[in-house]
Amino acid sequence: GQNIDQPTEMTATEGAIVQINCTYQTSGFNGLFWYQQHAGEAPTFLSYNVLDGLEEKGRFSSFLSRSKGYSYLLLKELQMKDSASYLCAVRGGDTGRRALTFGSGTRLQVQP
Amino acid sequence: NAGVTQTPKFQVLKTGQSMTLQCAQDMNHEYMSWYRQDPGMGLRLIHYSVGAGITDQGEVPNGYNVSRSTTEDFPLRLLSAAPSQTSVYFCASSYSNPLLAGGPGEQYFGPGTRLTVT
């Protein structure tokens, strides 16, 4: 099976930088996703990593280390609207039993 | 484009009742899926479809049925509601299969249906 760990809650200050970590265990790793979900709303896609390294998209960056089973989402210049849950999801599994497993999410609260 | 739409937004059922959650997308996506989201747990895949007429089970399929007669619509049926099915249900669609390699398989989610079973 697949296992994903991410912190339950984090707090950060407006204008600062925050790093949200995600560790995973899976066989046949084939991609890692980050989604943002505001309270009471649908998840929206943020980023996708399949190779080691950093993917940058505006204020958001996502990093992957396949050998360590580790990813992080970096949010720069935090804004109040970044208060949301951030979901890490891993695609993997053996041939014939592919799965996309979501972590339980990290709730980020941005304070003034 | 409306994207992915779901109805109803809220629903209360009594144990044993049946109902259908509606999902539609206007992006001509082949792949559609249903998830449930419970407090403290990640999104869990119930059923998915890789195209009209083709469906398969996900991680937690028991108690649910699906069909896919058109590309646009993917309804989820609760056969006999149980309190354990109290949850928020999300429908999602994507251009490519998010379970397979070859691309991000970015999924677009609907606004969700909050279901309570008493």
Side-chain angles (χ1 to χ4, degrees), chain A residues 21-32:
Chain A
N21 295 327
C22 171
T23 58
Y24 64 87
Q25 294 173 318
T26 185
S27 59
F29 172 85
N30 207 340
L32 186 142

Side-chain angles (χ1 to χ4, degrees), chain B residues 7-54:
Chain B
T7 56
K9 289 190 175 182
F10 301 93
Q11 183 70 49
V12 178
L13 291 177
K14 294 187 186 304
T15 297
Q17 287 184 316
S18 62
M19 79 158 295
T20 299
L21 279 62
Q22 301 292 343
C23 174
Q25 53 92 9
D26 62 0
M27 296 174 283
N28 203 32
H29 287 165
E30 289 296 325
Y31 184 89
M32 296 185 74
S33 56
W34 276 102
Y35 292 90
R36 59 178 289 173
Q37 187 174 40
D38 301 295
M41 300 184 72
L43 290 160
R44 290 184 292 169
L45 183 63
I46 303 171
H47 285 285
Y48 65 95
S49 170
V50 299
I54 307 171

Side-chain angles (χ1 to χ4, degrees), chain B residues 2 8 10-11 29 33 44 55 58 62 83 85 94 100 108 113 115:
Chain B
F10 301 93
Q11 183 70 49
H29 287 165
S33 56
R44 290 184 292 169
T55 65
N62 292 341
Q85 293 179 304
S94 60
L100 299 180
Y108 295 82
T113 294
L115 175 69

Side-chain angles (χ1 to χ4, degrees), chain A residues 30 33 35 37 42 45 91 100 103, chain B residues 37 42 98 100-101 103-104 106-107 110:
Chain A
N30 207 340
F33 303 79
Y35 281 82
Q37 185 178 24
F45 174 81
R91 179 169 64 197
L100 179 66
Chain B
Q37 187 174 40
L100 299 180
E106 169 187 353
Q107 295 190 79

Side-chain angles (χ1 to χ4, degrees), chain A residues 36-98:
Chain A
Q36 180 189 59
Q37 185 178 24
H38 286 99
E41 298 184 8
T44 55
F45 174 81
L46 286 178
S47 69
Y48 167 72
N49 295 70
V50 68
L51 299 176
D52 292 349
L54 190 68
E55 295 280 343
E56 296 186 81
K57 192 185 294 185
R59 293 189 299 114
F60 292 10
S61 303
S62 57
F63 172 82
L64 175 67
S65 169
R66 290 173 295 171
S67 62
K68 296 182 178 177
Y70 169 69
S71 173
Y72 67 73
L73 181 69
L74 194 70
L75 289 72
K76 303 175 187 175
E77 301 170 11
L78 278 173
Q79 302 175 9
M80 298 299 290
K81 67 179 182 179
D82 296 330
S83 292
S85 288
Y86 292 85
L87 315 179
C88 173
V90 171
R91 179 169 64 197
D94 301 318
T95 301
R97 291 191 63 83
R98 291 290 182 190

